[in-house]
PDB file of all heavy atoms in Angstrom:
ATOM      1  N   GLU A   1       0.832  -1.204   0.000  1.00 92.00           N
ATOM      2  CA  GLU A   1       0.000   0.000   0.000  1.00 92.00           C
ATOM      3  C   GLU A   1       0.868   1.256   0.000  1.00 92.00           C
ATOM      4  O   GLU A   1       0.577   2.227  -0.723  1.00 92.00           O
ATOM      5  CB  GLU A   1      -0.915  -0.006   1.221  1.00 92.00           C
ATOM      6  CG  GLU A   1      -1.983  -1.092   1.183  1.00 92.00           C
ATOM      7  CD  GLU A   1      -2.694  -1.253   2.508  1.00 92.00           C
ATOM      8  OE1 GLU A   1      -2.310  -0.553   3.474  1.00 92.00           O
ATOM      9  OE2 GLU A   1      -3.633  -2.074   2.589  1.00 92.00           O
ATOM     10  N   PHE A   2       1.926   1.253   0.806  1.00 95.00           N
ATOM     11  CA  PHE A   2       2.801   2.431   0.890  1.00 95.00           C
ATOM     12  C   PHE A   2       3.515   2.685  -0.429  1.00 95.00           C
ATOM     13  O   PHE A   2       3.535   3.820  -0.932  1.00 95.00           O
ATOM     14  CB  PHE A   2       3.823   2.235   2.013  1.00 95.00           C
ATOM     15  CG  PHE A   2       4.866   3.315   2.062  1.00 95.00           C
ATOM     16  CD1 PHE A   2       4.580   4.538   2.647  1.00 95.00           C
ATOM     17  CD2 PHE A   2       6.133   3.115   1.515  1.00 95.00           C
ATOM     18  CE1 PHE A   2       5.540   5.550   2.677  1.00 95.00           C
ATOM     19  CE2 PHE A   2       7.092   4.116   1.551  1.00 95.00           C
ATOM     20  CZ  PHE A   2       6.792   5.330   2.139  1.00 95.00           C
ATOM     21  N   GLU A   3       4.137   1.665  -0.992  1.00 95.00           N
ATOM     22  CA  GLU A   3       4.896   1.841  -2.232  1.00 95.00           C
ATOM     23  C   GLU A   3       3.991   2.209  -3.402  1.00 95.00           C
ATOM     24  O   GLU A   3       4.402   2.944  -4.312  1.00 95.00           O
ATOM     25  CB  GLU A   3       5.700   0.573  -2.533  1.00 95.00           C
ATOM     26  CG  GLU A   3       6.822   0.341  -1.521  1.00 95.00           C
ATOM     27  CD  GLU A   3       7.673  -0.880  -1.834  1.00 95.00           C
ATOM     28  OE1 GLU A   3       7.230  -1.720  -2.652  1.00 95.00           O
ATOM     29  OE2 GLU A   3       8.772  -1.002  -1.255  1.00 95.00           O
ATOM     30  N   ALA A   4       2.757   1.722  -3.397  1.00 92.00           N
ATOM     31  CA  ALA A   4       1.805   2.081  -4.455  1.00 92.00           C
ATOM     32  C   ALA A   4       1.399   3.555  -4.358  1.00 92.00           C
ATOM     33  O   ALA A   4       1.186   4.226  -5.376  1.00 92.00           O
ATOM     34  CB  ALA A   4       0.576   1.188  -4.380  1.00 92.00           C
ATOM     35  N   GLU A   5       1.314   4.070  -3.129  1.00 91.00           N
ATOM     36  CA  GLU A   5       0.885   5.456  -2.938  1.00 91.00           C
ATOM     37  C   GLU A   5       2.009   6.458  -3.151  1.00 91.00           C
ATOM     38  O   GLU A   5       1.809   7.506  -3.783  1.00 91.00           O
ATOM     39  CB  GLU A   5       0.312   5.628  -1.525  1.00 91.00           C
ATOM     40  CG  GLU A   5      -0.178   7.033  -1.236  1.00 91.00           C
ATOM     41  CD  GLU A   5      -0.758   7.189   0.168  1.00 91.00           C
ATOM     42  OE1 GLU A   5      -0.876   6.163   0.883  1.00 91.00           O
ATOM     43  OE2 GLU A   5      -1.085   8.333   0.544  1.00 91.00           O
ATOM     44  N   PHE A   6       3.215   6.147  -2.646  1.00 93.00           N
ATOM     45  CA  PHE A   6       4.299   7.130  -2.656  1.00 93.00           C
ATOM     46  C   PHE A   6       5.372   6.854  -3.704  1.00 93.00           C
ATOM     47  O   PHE A   6       6.215   7.713  -3.970  1.00 93.00           O
ATOM     48  CB  PHE A   6       4.940   7.211  -1.267  1.00 93.00           C
ATOM     49  CG  PHE A   6       4.034   7.792  -0.225  1.00 93.00           C
ATOM     50  CD1 PHE A   6       3.270   6.963   0.586  1.00 93.00           C
ATOM     51  CD2 PHE A   6       3.918   9.158  -0.057  1.00 93.00           C
ATOM     52  CE1 PHE A   6       2.424   7.484   1.553  1.00 93.00           C
ATOM     53  CE2 PHE A   6       3.074   9.693   0.913  1.00 93.00           C
ATOM     54  CZ  PHE A   6       2.321   8.851   1.716  1.00 93.00           C
ATOM     55  N   HIS A   7       5.395   5.640  -4.251  1.00 95.00           N
ATOM     56  CA  HIS A   7       6.375   5.265  -5.301  1.00 95.00           C
ATOM     57  C   HIS A   7       7.821   5.446  -4.828  1.00 95.00           C
ATOM     58  O   HIS A   7       8.691   5.896  -5.576  1.00 95.00           O
ATOM     59  CB  HIS A   7       6.138   6.085  -6.585  1.00 95.00           C
ATOM     60  CG  HIS A   7       4.735   5.962  -7.094  1.00 95.00           C
ATOM     61  ND1 HIS A   7       4.260   4.829  -7.706  1.00 95.00           N
ATOM     62  CD2 HIS A   7       3.683   6.847  -7.060  1.00 95.00           C
ATOM     63  CE1 HIS A   7       2.994   5.000  -8.047  1.00 95.00           C
ATOM     64  NE2 HIS A   7       2.613   6.212  -7.661  1.00 95.00           N
ATOM     65  N   ILE A   8       8.056   5.136  -3.571  1.00 94.00           N
ATOM     66  CA  ILE A   8       9.411   5.126  -3.016  1.00 94.00           C
ATOM     67  C   ILE A   8       9.588   3.836  -2.232  1.00 94.00           C
ATOM     68  O   ILE A   8       8.618   3.165  -1.883  1.00 94.00           O
ATOM     69  CB  ILE A   8       9.698   6.354  -2.113  1.00 94.00           C
ATOM     70  CG1 ILE A   8       8.618   6.474  -1.020  1.00 94.00           C
ATOM     71  CG2 ILE A   8       9.797   7.619  -2.922  1.00 94.00           C
ATOM     72  CD1 ILE A   8       8.856   7.632  -0.069  1.00 94.00           C
ATOM     73  N   ARG A   9      10.838   3.494  -1.948  1.00 94.00           N
ATOM     74  CA  ARG A   9      11.124   2.234  -1.262  1.00 94.00           C
ATOM     75  C   ARG A   9      10.589   2.248   0.166  1.00 94.00           C
ATOM     76  O   ARG A   9      10.643   3.257   0.869  1.00 94.00           O
ATOM     77  CB  ARG A   9      12.628   1.981  -1.262  1.00 94.00           C
ATOM     78  CG  ARG A   9      13.192   1.647  -2.626  1.00 94.00           C
ATOM     79  CD  ARG A   9      14.677   1.386  -2.540  1.00 94.00           C
ATOM     80  NE  ARG A   9      15.005   0.375  -1.535  1.00 94.00           N
ATOM     81  CZ  ARG A   9      16.230  -0.083  -1.326  1.00 94.00           C
ATOM     82  NH1 ARG A   9      17.236   0.375  -2.053  1.00 94.00           N
ATOM     83  NH2 ARG A   9      16.453  -0.991  -0.394  1.00 94.00           N
ATOM     84  N   TYR A  10      10.126   1.093   0.572  1.00 95.00           N
ATOM     85  CA  TYR A  10       9.504   0.929   1.887  1.00 95.00           C
ATOM     86  C   TYR A  10      10.474   1.221   3.021  1.00 95.00           C
ATOM     87  O   TYR A  10      10.104   1.827   4.031  1.00 95.00           O
ATOM     88  CB  TYR A  10       8.961  -0.498   1.995  1.00 95.00           C
ATOM     89  CG  TYR A  10       8.135  -0.790   3.214  1.00 95.00           C
ATOM     90  CD1 TYR A  10       6.964  -0.071   3.472  1.00 95.00           C
ATOM     91  CD2 TYR A  10       8.489  -1.814   4.093  1.00 95.00           C
ATOM     92  CE1 TYR A  10       6.180  -0.367   4.587  1.00 95.00           C
ATOM     93  CE2 TYR A  10       7.701  -2.107   5.196  1.00 95.00           C
ATOM     94  CZ  TYR A  10       6.553  -1.375   5.437  1.00 95.00           C
ATOM     95  OH  TYR A  10       5.775  -1.672   6.537  1.00 95.00           O
ATOM     96  N   ASP A  11      11.733   0.801   2.877  1.00 93.00           N
ATOM     97  CA  ASP A  11      12.682   0.935   3.988  1.00 93.00           C
ATOM     98  C   ASP A  11      13.110   2.376   4.254  1.00 93.00           C
ATOM     99  O   ASP A  11      13.835   2.641   5.210  1.00 93.00           O
ATOM    100  CB  ASP A  11      13.915   0.049   3.772  1.00 93.00           C
ATOM    101  CG  ASP A  11      14.596   0.291   2.438  1.00 93.00           C
ATOM    102  OD1 ASP A  11      14.241   1.270   1.749  1.00 93.00           O
ATOM    103  OD2 ASP A  11      15.480  -0.508   2.070  1.00 93.00           O
ATOM    104  N   VAL A  12      12.648   3.326   3.411  1.00 95.00           N
ATOM    105  CA  VAL A  12      12.943   4.735   3.704  1.00 95.00           C
ATOM    106  C   VAL A  12      12.258   5.157   4.998  1.00 95.00           C
ATOM    107  O   VAL A  12      12.682   6.107   5.669  1.00 95.00           O
ATOM    108  CB  VAL A  12      12.490   5.639   2.527  1.00 95.00           C
ATOM    109  CG1 VAL A  12      10.966   5.786   2.492  1.00 95.00           C
ATOM    110  CG2 VAL A  12      13.144   7.016   2.610  1.00 95.00           C
ATOM    111  N   LEU A  13      11.218   4.433   5.389  1.00 96.00           N
ATOM    112  CA  LEU A  13      10.487   4.762   6.622  1.00 96.00           C
ATOM    113  C   LEU A  13      11.336   4.553   7.864  1.00 96.00           C
ATOM    114  O   LEU A  13      11.047   5.118   8.920  1.00 96.00           O
ATOM    115  CB  LEU A  13       9.216   3.917   6.709  1.00 96.00           C
ATOM    116  CG  LEU A  13       8.145   4.218   5.655  1.00 96.00           C
ATOM    117  CD1 LEU A  13       7.034   3.179   5.701  1.00 96.00           C
ATOM    118  CD2 LEU A  13       7.580   5.619   5.837  1.00 96.00           C
ATOM    119  N   ALA A  14      12.365   3.739   7.757  1.00 93.00           N
ATOM    120  CA  ALA A  14      13.247   3.506   8.903  1.00 93.00           C
ATOM    121  C   ALA A  14      14.017   4.767   9.285  1.00 93.00           C
ATOM    122  O   ALA A  14      14.509   4.883  10.417  1.00 93.00           O
ATOM    123  CB  ALA A  14      14.217   2.368   8.595  1.00 93.00           C
ATOM    124  N   GLN A  15      14.115   5.710   8.352  1.00 90.00           N
ATOM    125  CA  GLN A  15      14.887   6.934   8.601  1.00 90.00           C
ATOM    126  C   GLN A  15      14.101   7.965   9.412  1.00 90.00           C
ATOM    127  O   GLN A  15      14.681   8.920   9.915  1.00 90.00           O
ATOM    128  CB  GLN A  15      15.321   7.541   7.264  1.00 90.00           C
ATOM    129  CG  GLN A  15      16.182   6.616   6.412  1.00 90.00           C
ATOM    130  CD  GLN A  15      16.440   7.167   5.029  1.00 90.00           C
ATOM    131  OE1 GLN A  15      16.182   8.339   4.754  1.00 90.00           O
ATOM    132  NE2 GLN A  15      16.952   6.329   4.133  1.00 90.00           N
ATOM    133  N   TYR A  16      12.801   7.784   9.513  1.00 89.00           N
ATOM    134  CA  TYR A  16      11.984   8.751  10.248  1.00 89.00           C
ATOM    135  C   TYR A  16      12.100   8.508  11.750  1.00 89.00           C
ATOM    136  O   TYR A  16      11.969   7.389  12.220  1.00 89.00           O
ATOM    137  CB  TYR A  16      10.520   8.663   9.804  1.00 89.00           C
ATOM    138  CG  TYR A  16      10.227   9.554   8.619  1.00 89.00           C
ATOM    139  CD1 TYR A  16      10.654   9.203   7.347  1.00 89.00           C
ATOM    140  CD2 TYR A  16       9.553  10.764   8.777  1.00 89.00           C
ATOM    141  CE1 TYR A  16      10.417  10.016   6.267  1.00 89.00           C
ATOM    142  CE2 TYR A  16       9.308  11.595   7.693  1.00 89.00           C
ATOM    143  CZ  TYR A  16       9.741  11.218   6.444  1.00 89.00           C
ATOM    144  OH  TYR A  16       9.515  12.040   5.360  1.00 89.00           O
ATOM    145  N   ASN A  17      12.325   9.578  12.465  1.00 87.00           N
ATOM    146  CA  ASN A  17      12.494   9.489  13.912  1.00 87.00           C
ATOM    147  C   ASN A  17      11.138   9.642  14.603  1.00 87.00           C
ATOM    148  O   ASN A  17      10.479  10.676  14.478  1.00 87.00           O
ATOM    149  CB  ASN A  17      13.453  10.584  14.396  1.00 87.00           C
ATOM    150  CG  ASN A  17      13.673  10.524  15.893  1.00 87.00           C
ATOM    151  OD1 ASN A  17      13.690   9.435  16.481  1.00 87.00           O
ATOM    152  ND2 ASN A  17      13.823  11.670  16.525  1.00 87.00           N
ATOM    153  N   ILE A  18      10.732   8.587  15.305  1.00 91.00           N
ATOM    154  CA  ILE A  18       9.475   8.622  16.054  1.00 91.00           C
ATOM    155  C   ILE A  18       9.809   8.711  17.541  1.00 91.00           C
ATOM    156  O   ILE A  18      10.378   7.769  18.108  1.00 91.00           O
ATOM    157  CB  ILE A  18       8.634   7.356  15.789  1.00 91.00           C
ATOM    158  CG1 ILE A  18       8.444   7.139  14.292  1.00 91.00           C
ATOM    159  CG2 ILE A  18       7.290   7.447  16.504  1.00 91.00           C
ATOM    160  CD1 ILE A  18       7.650   8.216  13.600  1.00 91.00           C
ATOM    161  N   PRO A  19       9.487   9.820  18.191  1.00 85.00           N
ATOM    162  CA  PRO A  19       9.771   9.922  19.629  1.00 85.00           C
ATOM    163  C   PRO A  19       8.983   8.896  20.436  1.00 85.00           C
ATOM    164  O   PRO A  19       7.875   8.521  20.074  1.00 85.00           O
ATOM    165  CB  PRO A  19       9.315  11.353  19.983  1.00 85.00           C
ATOM    166  CG  PRO A  19       9.183  12.072  18.675  1.00 85.00           C
ATOM    167  CD  PRO A  19       8.847  11.037  17.658  1.00 85.00           C
ATOM    168  N   SER A  20       9.561   8.454  21.515  1.00 87.00           N
ATOM    169  CA  SER A  20       8.893   7.577  22.487  1.00 87.00           C
ATOM    170  C   SER A  20       8.508   6.211  21.944  1.00 87.00           C
ATOM    171  O   SER A  20       7.539   5.596  22.411  1.00 87.00           O
ATOM    172  CB  SER A  20       7.628   8.265  23.046  1.00 87.00           C
ATOM    173  OG  SER A  20       7.944   9.518  23.581  1.00 87.00           O
ATOM    174  N   LEU A  21       9.235   5.718  20.945  1.00 93.00           N
ATOM    175  CA  LEU A  21       8.986   4.351  20.501  1.00 93.00           C
ATOM    176  C   LEU A  21       9.369   3.371  21.607  1.00 93.00           C
ATOM    177  O   LEU A  21      10.339   3.593  22.333  1.00 93.00           O
ATOM    178  CB  LEU A  21       9.813   4.029  19.254  1.00 93.00           C
ATOM    179  CG  LEU A  21       9.266   4.446  17.885  1.00 93.00           C
ATOM    180  CD1 LEU A  21      10.259   4.054  16.796  1.00 93.00           C
ATOM    181  CD2 LEU A  21       7.915   3.822  17.603  1.00 93.00           C
ATOM    182  N   PRO A  22       8.643   2.264  21.744  1.00 92.00           N
ATOM    183  CA  PRO A  22       9.024   1.266  22.750  1.00 92.00           C
ATOM    184  C   PRO A  22      10.388   0.657  22.436  1.00 92.00           C
ATOM    185  O   PRO A  22      10.811   0.622  21.264  1.00 92.00           O
ATOM    186  CB  PRO A  22       7.930   0.195  22.626  1.00 92.00           C
ATOM    187  CG  PRO A  22       6.808   0.854  21.914  1.00 92.00           C
ATOM    188  CD  PRO A  22       7.416   1.896  21.031  1.00 92.00           C
ATOM    189  N   ALA A  23      11.061   0.204  23.469  1.00 90.00           N
ATOM    190  CA  ALA A  23      12.346  -0.475  23.264  1.00 90.00           C
ATOM    191  C   ALA A  23      12.110  -1.765  22.486  1.00 90.00           C
ATOM    192  O   ALA A  23      11.067  -2.402  22.616  1.00 90.00           O
ATOM    193  CB  ALA A  23      12.988  -0.779  24.611  1.00 90.00           C
ATOM    194  N   ASP A  24      13.083  -2.134  21.654  1.00 89.00           N
ATOM    195  CA  ASP A  24      12.923  -3.321  20.813  1.00 89.00           C
ATOM    196  C   ASP A  24      13.216  -4.607  21.593  1.00 89.00           C
ATOM    197  O   ASP A  24      13.589  -4.575  22.757  1.00 89.00           O
ATOM    198  CB  ASP A  24      13.816  -3.237  19.580  1.00 89.00           C
ATOM    199  CG  ASP A  24      15.297  -3.132  19.942  1.00 89.00           C
ATOM    200  OD1 ASP A  24      15.612  -3.175  21.151  1.00 89.00           O
ATOM    201  OD2 ASP A  24      16.138  -3.016  19.032  1.00 89.00           O
ATOM    202  N   CYS A  25      13.020  -5.735  20.910  1.00 86.00           N
ATOM    203  CA  CYS A  25      13.292  -7.054  21.505  1.00 86.00           C
ATOM    204  C   CYS A  25      14.614  -7.571  20.944  1.00 86.00           C
ATOM    205  O   CYS A  25      14.665  -7.982  19.784  1.00 86.00           O
ATOM    206  CB  CYS A  25      12.175  -8.039  21.177  1.00 86.00           C
ATOM    207  SG  CYS A  25      10.656  -7.776  22.094  1.00 86.00           S
ATOM    208  N   PRO A  26      15.680  -7.564  21.709  1.00 81.00           N
ATOM    209  CA  PRO A  26      16.968  -8.046  21.198  1.00 81.00           C
ATOM    210  C   PRO A  26      16.940  -9.550  20.977  1.00 81.00           C
ATOM    211  O   PRO A  26      16.218 -10.281  21.653  1.00 81.00           O
ATOM    212  CB  PRO A  26      17.958  -7.664  22.300  1.00 81.00           C
ATOM    213  CG  PRO A  26      17.126  -7.578  23.533  1.00 81.00           C
ATOM    214  CD  PRO A  26      15.766  -7.126  23.113  1.00 81.00           C
ATOM    215  N   SER A  27      17.744 -10.011  20.025  1.00 73.00           N
ATOM    216  CA  SER A  27      17.753 -11.439  19.683  1.00 73.00           C
ATOM    217  C   SER A  27      18.637 -12.264  20.621  1.00 73.00           C
ATOM    218  O   SER A  27      18.609 -13.489  20.570  1.00 73.00           O
ATOM    219  CB  SER A  27      18.239 -11.626  18.242  1.00 73.00           C
ATOM    220  OG  SER A  27      19.542 -11.082  18.087  1.00 73.00           O
ATOM    221  N   SER A  28      19.436 -11.597  21.464  1.00 76.00           N
ATOM    222  CA  SER A  28      20.321 -12.341  22.369  1.00 76.00           C
ATOM    223  C   SER A  28      20.440 -11.591  23.695  1.00 76.00           C
ATOM    224  O   SER A  28      20.012 -10.444  23.824  1.00 76.00           O
ATOM    225  CB  SER A  28      21.709 -12.524  21.735  1.00 76.00           C
ATOM    226  OG  SER A  28      22.284 -11.265  21.434  1.00 76.00           O
ATOM    227  N   ASN A  29      21.042 -12.290  24.681  1.00 80.00           N
ATOM    228  CA  ASN A  29      21.315 -11.716  26.005  1.00 80.00           C
ATOM    229  C   ASN A  29      20.057 -11.296  26.756  1.00 80.00           C
ATOM    230  O   ASN A  29      20.115 -10.438  27.631  1.00 80.00           O
ATOM    231  CB  ASN A  29      22.263 -10.512  25.889  1.00 80.00           C
ATOM    232  CG  ASN A  29      23.586 -10.877  25.262  1.00 80.00           C
ATOM    233  OD1 ASN A  29      24.088 -11.978  25.459  1.00 80.00           O
ATOM    234  ND2 ASN A  29      24.153  -9.966  24.489  1.00 80.00           N
ATOM    235  N   PHE A  30      18.928 -11.874  26.400  1.00 86.00           N
ATOM    236  CA  PHE A  30      17.687 -11.586  27.092  1.00 86.00           C
ATOM    237  C   PHE A  30      17.033 -12.903  27.472  1.00 86.00           C
ATOM    238  O   PHE A  30      16.981 -13.827  26.658  1.00 86.00           O
ATOM    239  CB  PHE A  30      16.742 -10.767  26.196  1.00 86.00           C
ATOM    240  CG  PHE A  30      16.581  -9.329  26.608  1.00 86.00           C
ATOM    241  CD1 PHE A  30      17.688  -8.536  26.795  1.00 86.00           C
ATOM    242  CD2 PHE A  30      15.329  -8.770  26.795  1.00 86.00           C
ATOM    243  CE1 PHE A  30      17.561  -7.205  27.167  1.00 86.00           C
ATOM    244  CE2 PHE A  30      15.181  -7.447  27.167  1.00 86.00           C
ATOM    245  CZ  PHE A  30      16.306  -6.651  27.358  1.00 86.00           C
TER     246      PHE A  30
END
């Protein structure tokens, strides 16, 4: 849906800074 609407790559969204995002789930040491 995103790529059809904006005609840009999906992973560009990773560059946007969202304040107060929850901490992620690490794959190790947890």
Side-chain angles (χ1 to χ4, degrees):
E1 292 169 357
F2 173 80
E3 292 183 344
E5 181 179 354
F6 292 95
H7 305 287
I8 54 178
R9 290 181 53 176
Y10 187 60
D11 54 10
V12 74
L13 293 171
Q15 301 172 13
Y16 272 75
N17 181 35
I18 307 296
S20 305
L21 276 179
D24 60 3
C25 286
S27 59
S28 59
N29 301 326
F30 252 53

